[in-house]
Amino acid sequence: ADPARRTLERDALERTRRRITTVRGAAAPTGAPSDKPKRTIFDAERQENLPGKKMRSEGGQATGDDTVTRAYDGLGATFKMFLKAYGRRSIDDSGLPLKATVHYGEDYGNAFWNGEQMVFGDGDGEIFKDFTIPVDVTAHELAHGVTQYTANLEYFGQSGALNESLSDVFGSLTKQFQLGQTADEADWLIGAGLLADRVTGVALRSMKAPGTAYDDDVLGKDPQPATMEHYVRTSRDNGGVHINSGIPNHAFYLVAKALGGHAWERAGKIWYATLTGGELATDADFADFAQATVSAAQSQYGEGEEQRAVLDAWAKVGISD
Ligand code: ASN
Ligand code: ZN
């Protein structure tokens, strides 16, 4: 080959090398959502002011407060489940920072998402222990954020019970993902380890057997129905959002059990696609949601065992479209 051509070839090679180096060395475009969480844990010091005193930021050392550590680790486990199982980057899928306040209030017996952050009480030690103990409770609260940024289901009546149920589903899936459990191995409980000594019970709720989580003088009996036959009409609890959530919770459990294996895989993907697919109205009822899960199963897996499992599960809990 003539020298001119050899020069051209050498230049082309050089350009390619430079391009590879440039691409390899390039920083991620600014604003790109990251694969790492951005966690901050605050301490309300038994007051009710939010967010409270900053205790630990992302990458920071453990503080020596187990509650702060559990909140930090629980947010990390939830972030990881949403990323690895569904490719979701945080609450808004754009890397939204995760904020949580612990030691909220005096003996405060609850945890919640306030529209911007998670909040955890210490419990009184007699009825409830520290709400950062069960990872599924932490994941439940974070999942309220995911629902807010996606289907945004109104927190009342059936749409509210679906909102609650989705938090239980992704709460339980976070625990199952962390433990590497199959649907058969999982306990399907929400809040195992949270009830203190004065309460006769195992958890806040059971997706496998709604209505059986506790039966007790202090808390009464777990009021959750598993099927429409026992649907509760009430004006309390925003129209029974934490009560009738037992019905869609049990439907998810039945799908996961029918399919077997890891519940975050096929069953979870169908529910995640339903939550994020943009087809649900903010006031969707159980029948609307059931219909949307059937379509999600079909678009992801066709008319096979997945769709049949979904149809069977809703029929068993008394919902048909
Ligand atoms: N722990 C409850 C929940 O996340 C708190 C509430 O009802 N606001 O749904
Ligand atoms: Zn909730």
Side-chain angles (χ1 to χ4, degrees):
D2 66 288
R5 180 166 172 163
R6 245 183 285 141
T7 308
L8 271 177
E9 278 170 355
R10 200 183 13 151
D11 285 354
L13 198 69
E14 182 51 36
R15 270 199 302 279
T16 306
R17 258 199 218 114
R18 221 178 306 149
R19 193 156 51 230
I20 290 167
T21 320
T22 311
V23 170
R24 263 216 216 100
T30 44
S34 137
D35 283 359
K36 298 276 177 228
K38 301 183 185 77
R39 295 165 284 185
T40 311
I41 312 298
F42 301 87
D43 186 343
E45 300 176 298
R46 297 168 59 91
Q47 303 295 115
E48 297 192 3
N49 306 315
L50 293 174
K53 184 175 159 191
K54 191 191 287 185
M55 299 301 288
R56 188 173 180 187
S57 306
E58 188 59 42
Q61 289 278 306
T63 58
D65 179 339
D66 290 346
T67 302
V68 172
T69 302
R70 278 192 299 267
Y72 186 86
D73 292 347
L75 296 186
T78 310
F79 181 94
K80 193 171 190 173
M81 193 284 297
F82 274 108
L83 180 67
K84 300 271 156 93
Y86 309 118
R88 187 178 191 82
R89 290 174 161 76
S90 191
I91 284 172
D92 63 348
D93 199 19
S94 293
L96 189 79
L98 302 175
K99 296 191 171 79
T101 295
V102 300
H103 303 308
Y104 177 81
E106 234 176 288
D107 299 337
Y108 189 80
N110 212 340
F112 60 93
W113 162 258
N114 79 346
E116 294 177 9
Q117 66 156 100
M118 287 146 276
V119 184
F120 299 89
D122 293 327
D124 64 358
E126 301 214 344
I127 301 171
F128 294 116
K129 299 183 188 173
D130 185 327
F131 277 72
T132 61
I133 292 171
V135 72
D136 43 74
V137 167
T138 299
H140 173 110
E141 303 312 340
L142 193 155
H144 276 308
V146 175
T147 296
Q148 178 180 313
Y149 277 85
T150 55
N152 196 22
L153 291 158
E154 288 169 18
Y155 205 61
F156 187 84
Q158 291 197 6
S159 58
L162 289 166
N163 187 320
E164 265 307 303
S165 175
L166 285 157
S167 271
D168 280 352
V169 164
F170 294 107
S172 182
L173 290 179
T174 297
K175 175 170 157 180
Q176 294 176 38
F177 185 88
Q178 186 178 52
L179 297 174
Q181 290 173 329
T182 62
D184 270 321
E185 291 162 349
D187 62 16
W188 295 98
L189 297 171
I190 302 298
L194 179 62
L195 302 181
D197 295 345
R198 281 189 53 191
V199 183
T200 308
V202 293
L204 294 173
R205 292 182 285 280
S206 169
M207 301 177 70
K208 178 176 181 169
T212 69
Y214 54 87
D215 188 350
D216 176 77
D217 296 338
V218 190
L219 289 180
K221 185 189 174 298
D222 174 1
Q224 285 208 313
T227 69
M228 286 305 282
E229 193 189 344
H230 300 289
Y231 185 87
V232 178
R233 298 184 150 276
T234 177
S235 57
R236 299 177 57 172
D237 183 34
N238 288 103
V241 297
H242 295 89
I243 300 172
N244 293 313
S245 55
I247 297 164
N249 273 1
H250 195 57
F252 180 81
Y253 163 82
L254 290 171
V255 173
K257 283 284 284 186
L259 295 178
H262 293 142
W264 61 86
E265 289 171 4
R266 288 182 293 167
K269 275 181 186 160
I270 293 165
W271 253 242
Y272 182 77
T274 303
L275 170 62
T276 59
E279 309 265 279
L280 277 182
T282 58
D283 64 348
D285 63 13
F286 288 178
D288 297 329
F289 186 84
Q291 180 55 61
T293 60
V294 173
S295 330
Q298 174 157 22
S299 32
Q300 294 195 67
Y301 301 106
E303 289 175 6
E305 61 164 335
E306 295 84 2
Q307 194 188 33
R308 268 196 306 282
V310 171
L311 284 164
D312 274 4
W314 289 114
K316 278 188 181 134
V317 303
I319 305 278
S320 53
D321 39 288

